[in-house]
Amino acid sequence: MRIKKGDTIKMISGKDRGRTGKVLRTDPHKERVAIEGLNMIKKHLRPRKQGEKGQIATIPSLVHVSKVIIICSKCGKETRIGYGGTEGRKHRICKKCGSEI
């Protein structure tokens, strides 16, 4: 999976199409990512201690990686990710400006 935690991405489909956010976590086996402030769902939480109230929390749900595109930190454009290797080290590069992501 080419998207990692901390990357800035843009939603390209779904109810949050066009909005941007930062990746909070990834699930490489299911090819899904959770994005800060996007695809929010409501989760009902029970009280854990005596006298505490239950609550409804909004948390970001996972989105398939095919529905997002990464935004380059250098040029600020939506881009695809390529790989380049120098000195035995593999790193991700922006397909538009060629800089390391």
Side-chain angles (χ1 to χ4, degrees):
M1 196 163 74
R2 296 169 182 226
I3 297 174
K4 297 184 178 182
K5 181 179 176 180
D7 288 342
T8 304
I9 57 96
K10 182 176 181 179
M11 291 283 288
I12 56 175
S13 68
K15 64 181 181 182
D16 291 322
R17 180 177 44 230
R19 295 180 62 198
T20 61
K22 187 179 277 192
V23 176
L24 297 175
R25 65 186 171 122
T26 63
D27 187 354
H29 299 293
K30 294 182 181 178
E31 295 184 341
R32 293 179 177 270
V33 292
I35 303 122
E36 183 179 27
L38 300 180
N39 199 32
M40 301 297 280
I41 61 167
K42 294 188 180 209
K43 183 174 182 178
H44 295 255
L45 301 173
R46 350 177 79 175
R48 294 290 175 199
K49 297 177 184 173
Q50 186 73 26
E52 189 179 81
K53 285 190 172 182
Q55 58 186 355
I56 301 173
T58 56
I59 59 169
S61 180
L62 296 172
V63 179
H64 198 268
V65 293
S66 64
K67 298 186 181 292
V68 299
I69 192 164
I70 195 163
I71 296 176
C72 178
S73 56
K74 305 288 189 280
C75 63
K77 296 179 183 175
E78 304 166 9
T79 184
R80 291 176 295 134
I81 299 172
Y83 286 97
T86 56
E87 301 137 18
R89 183 175 157 260
K90 183 178 173 182
H91 58 271
R92 301 179 302 161
I93 59 169
C94 172
K95 287 281 194 172
K96 297 222 174 163
C97 66
S99 65
E100 186 177 344
I101 294 177

